[in-house]
Every structure is written in structure tokens, then in C-alpha cells.
Amino acid sequence: MKFISLIDSISKNVITVDANSFVLRLEINGVSIETRLKAYHGEILYALFSHHPTALTYDEITDLLMSYNLVIADETRMHRKISELRKFLAKFHPSLEEIIINTRGVGYSLPLRLKNLHELANDNGLKFKNKKINESISIISGLIEDAIHLTSGSKIVRNSHGYVLERNSKILEEKIEIFNSCEKNIMKQICAHEADFVFLRTQYLLAKLKTYVGLARISEYSISEAQWLDWFKLEAWTLFEDLKKSIKTSENS
């Protein structure tokens, strides 16, 4: 069964690919619209969705296209097929116009704001009373996973602040935009005065966690990439647990 749904964490639109039935469905504010897909369009979209947030390599896409007896003699023809799919998506709905991203020299991927709806729905670790807080915490968890994924493939460089990770500003701008939306939602849902202890602590933890999501962590010393990744994962998840505890305290107070 090749069926998968992703949710846009900003617009809340749900995009579903049913490759077996050759259907693409878009749900906006509870209203669904759908269109028929060419068989290889459905296959490529399903592969992109199921691999997300990892990019689908040029070779993997070429193999998929060739499995449908399409003549892909060189990389240029592969790019043309993806361009054809992009135009089809844009014609179906404007919100899908830039959904397929070309990571030069690597492959094609999707925006990080898209999250697996099935995984979000089955996150049993969330036990907050407030549904909106649950949604935001789940999205932040996904952003941390994305940051760890990016960290594992990034180089350590030195600048005036110390040692930092080499950063892709375009990707991180999108991640921070999503985080800011979650942060705003969480602080709005916490029913406390701005001078309240728990309110201030939650605000502080969110601000600190944002530096990890944005790969803005600094080390005074040069360490190996493996050590950096281990340190990054430990600190980011520890902060995340502290954040959840702080929010839980506000619910119980």
C-alpha cells in the first residue's frame, strides 16, 4: 500500500498521495480537492513523501522513471520530468508550486515545514491537556529531528564566536519561521502573567532551544564531528524535556 499524508505545519493543509489509486488529495480548512496522477508522478511523489526529510537522489529518481519504461538517457531528461511534475502540481493548486526543492548536486526534497501526519497522530509521548500545545510540541520535536539530521552532515567551522556548524541559511530560515509560530502558540496558551516564574522559564527554554533548531550552538574548543553530534543530541533533547516539564507545570498550577 503506497498511501501517505503530510501536513504543512504553517498553513495546516494536508497533502495525501495514494500512488496505488493514482490520486493526489489536498485538504484546506476541512475541504478536500483531488486530481488524478500519472503512474510515474504518483511513484515519484510517494518516494519523496516517504523519504522526507531525506532527499531523493538523482539516481533514485532516474531508476523510478526507468522502471516505467521511460527513456532517461541523461540527467537533463530526469530534470525535465521533475519540471513537468512541478508544473502539474502548480496547475492543480498554487500552494504546491514550490513543494519540490532541488538540492543541487544531491537530489530533490520537500520543505521542512511538511510533517508526517501519521507520526504526529501517534506520538504517545504527548500528554498535555491543551490540543494546540500538543500540536506545537510535536512540531518542535520534528524540528529537533531535522536539526540532528542536518548536524550529522554539516562541517565544523571557526568564526569570531568560536566553533560553529556550517549553515544553510535558506533551510534554517524556514525552520525558524516554523519554530516561531510554535513558540507564539505555546506562550499564548500558557495562562500566566508575563512576570510569572513559569512563564519566564518557558520563554527562556524556548529561546535556548531555538538556537539548536537554528544550528547556532557554539563551542569554545575544536571537537570532532562525531563528538559534536553526540553533544548536540544530548543537549537538544534535554532542553526539550525541560521545556515540556515547564509547560506541564503551568497546566497544573
Side-chain angles (χ1 to χ4, degrees):
M1 183 177 181
K2 294 183 177 180
F3 183 95
I4 188 169
S5 296
L6 299 182
I7 184 170
D8 187 317
S9 55
I10 295 178
S11 68
K12 306 304 180 185
N13 295 345
V14 177
I15 313 163
T16 299
V17 174
D18 186 343
N20 289 337
S21 300
F22 314 115
V23 170
L24 174 66
R25 185 177 301 108
L26 179 63
E27 183 178 326
I28 305 174
N29 296 324
V31 178
S32 293
I33 55 174
E34 61 181 48
T35 186
R36 294 284 294 177
L37 293 166
K38 291 182 179 179
Y40 71 88
H41 282 178
E43 196 71 39
I44 292 172
L45 285 173
Y46 178 79
L48 283 167
F49 277 41
S50 58
H51 278 68
H52 182 64
T54 303
L56 197 63
T57 68
Y58 297 149
D59 287 341
E60 288 172 327
I61 293 172
T62 299
D63 289 343
L64 282 174
L65 292 170
M66 292 179 68
S67 71
Y68 283 86
N69 297 319
L70 296 171
V71 178
I72 310 296
D74 51 42
E75 199 170 277
T76 299
R77 296 193 183 188
M78 179 273 296
H79 287 301
R80 285 176 185 167
K81 288 298 181 183
I82 297 298
S83 178
E84 175 190 305
L85 177 55
R86 282 170 153 172
K87 290 176 183 177
F88 171 83
L89 293 172
K91 186 177 180 180
F92 173 52
H93 197 275
S95 67
L96 303 180
E97 184 174 2
E98 298 180 357
I99 195 176
I100 300 179
I101 302 168
N102 186 5
T103 305
R104 303 293 178 184
V106 178
Y108 285 91
S109 60
L110 304 172
L112 291 174
R113 68 177 185 274
L114 297 180
K115 304 296 176 185
N116 189 299
L117 188 61
H118 177 75
E119 291 177 1
L120 291 180
N122 290 281
D123 189 344
N124 296 321
L126 302 179
K127 297 180 181 179
F128 298 101
K129 301 172 186 175
N130 189 304
K131 183 180 178 181
K132 292 183 178 179
I133 289 179
N134 273 333
E135 292 174 352
S136 292
I137 286 295
S138 186
I139 291 169
I140 289 175
S141 176
L143 288 173
I144 295 172
E145 292 281 6
D146 291 342
I148 290 170
H149 174 73
L150 290 172
T151 298
S152 65
S154 299
K155 294 181 180 179
I156 302 169
V157 296
R158 188 172 185 175
N159 68 10
S160 57
H161 299 286
Y163 292 90
V164 298
L165 288 175
E166 198 171 49
R167 304 161 79 245
N168 185 320
S169 298
K170 186 176 181 180
I171 292 176
L172 293 176
E173 284 172 6
E174 183 182 19
K175 289 165 64 67
I176 293 302
E177 182 182 358
I178 296 169
F179 188 94
N180 287 342
S181 176
C182 293
E183 179 180 23
K184 183 178 179 181
N185 181 57
I186 289 170
M187 298 312 298
K188 184 179 179 181
Q189 298 304 316
I190 293 177
C191 299
H193 190 275
E194 290 185 3
D196 182 82
F197 176 81
V198 174
F199 186 96
L200 289 169
R201 287 295 303 174
T202 303
Q203 197 172 49
Y204 161 75
L205 290 167
L206 282 164
K208 192 171 182 181
L209 188 56
K210 189 191 297 187
T211 65
Y212 286 80
V213 169
L215 304 188
R217 177 184 174 280
I218 300 171
S219 174
E220 296 180 30
Y221 311 101
S222 176
I223 58 177
S224 71
E225 292 179 7
Q227 287 175 313
W228 188 290
L229 180 59
D230 288 341
W231 192 4
F232 186 95
K233 287 192 290 187
L234 176 62
E235 291 183 9
W237 288 124
T238 299
L239 272 172
F240 184 61
E241 290 303 314
D242 288 344
L243 172 65
K244 290 194 291 183
K245 289 175 184 177
S246 181
I247 295 172
K248 194 65 181 176
T249 300
S250 73
E251 279 196 334
N252 295 333
S253 60

